[in-house]
Amino acid sequence: MFDHVNFAYEGLMPILKDIHFTIKAGSTFAILGGTGSGKSTLMHLLDRLYELPKAGGTISIGGVDISAIRLSYLRENIGMVLQEPFLFSRTIRENISAARPGADMEEIRHASRIASVDDAIMGFSGGYDTIVGERGVTLSGGQKQRVSIARALIKDPPILILDDAVSAVDTETEEHILHALKEA
């Protein structure tokens, strides 16, 4: 629950003013708004990349104020995919399993199928052992986003946040991903 949340970046006008909403467990919730309207800020406040000021309201999960939750525990339970994902200069397999070391190949491929990227990966000569290069330079924007979605999914987090995470894929692929996410 976001309870009367207010937030401003240092020295700037407030970006969030008296934001109040509750998301029920197991539901899907979308936030729409123009560029700079605070959508990403809400997400970053939830995972405590930014801390709420003392008089900035409260954010709680399951009735517990997130400021009382150990940061590592909070982040273990949130899967987040950004519009501009970060990939390590490692293999696709390592990038996906980074969220859950020890994941086996079937689990990695299952997450990749949901993210609609398994076929693309299998089309590379190295398959899942393809090195993506610095920040994923060898992949298209849509492939990077889908690998990042697979990385978030392999964690099987109770909270999944997609911050414009399918902006670089075509409409058909976006529809497939969203349908697969609902099924999963």
Side-chain angles (χ1 to χ4, degrees):
M1 174 182 359
F2 280 67
D3 189 17
H4 303 288
V5 170
N6 296 284
F7 184 79
Y9 293 100
E10 192 172 320
L12 299 176
M13 297 292 292
I15 185 99
L16 301 174
K17 298 177 194 169
D18 200 30
I19 303 298
H20 184 82
F21 60 87
T22 301
I23 304 170
K24 292 184 180 187
S27 66
T28 301
F29 188 82
I31 298 174
L32 305 173
T35 302
S37 62
K39 301 178 304 293
S40 294
T41 301
L42 287 170
M43 176 189 70
H44 291 310
L45 287 169
L46 180 62
D47 81 344
R48 289 179 47 205
L49 181 62
Y50 307 130
E51 295 288 344
L52 272 176
K54 293 283 186 219
T58 58
I59 301 172
S60 59
I61 299 173
V64 178
D65 187 325
I66 63 167
S67 66
I69 299 172
R70 194 176 73 248
L71 189 58
S72 61
Y73 182 81
L74 178 69
R75 291 185 178 163
E76 285 169 15
N77 286 282
I78 296 175
M80 190 175 311
V81 183
L82 306 174
Q83 180 179 0
E84 288 294 325
F86 180 85
L87 296 179
F88 303 100
S89 185
R90 302 255 186 241
T91 67
I92 293 170
R93 176 196 325 247
E94 291 170 315
N95 270 283
I96 294 171
S97 66
R100 201 174 105 228
D104 66 35
M105 198 58 216
E106 184 49 43
E107 294 167 317
I108 292 169
R109 289 201 65 195
H110 177 70
S112 297
R113 283 186 206 101
I114 294 170
S116 197
V117 72
D118 181 64
D119 288 343
I121 294 169
M122 294 308 288
F124 298 136
S125 61
Y128 281 84
D129 292 322
T130 301
I131 303 279
V132 299
E134 193 67 35
R135 297 188 54 90
V137 71
T138 60
L139 303 178
S140 72
Q143 289 167 337
K144 286 192 273 190
Q145 285 183 329
R146 290 179 286 158
V147 167
S148 293
I149 291 169
R151 179 172 53 206
L153 292 173
I154 199 137
K155 241 174 113 162
D156 194 23
I159 299 170
L160 178 63
I161 300 171
L162 305 176
D163 184 18
D164 212 5
V166 290
S167 63
V169 301
D170 61 80
T171 306
E172 184 178 318
T173 303
E174 177 182 355
E175 207 171 286
H176 180 268
I177 293 168
L178 296 176
H179 178 73
L181 285 170
K182 286 179 185 175
E183 292 295 313

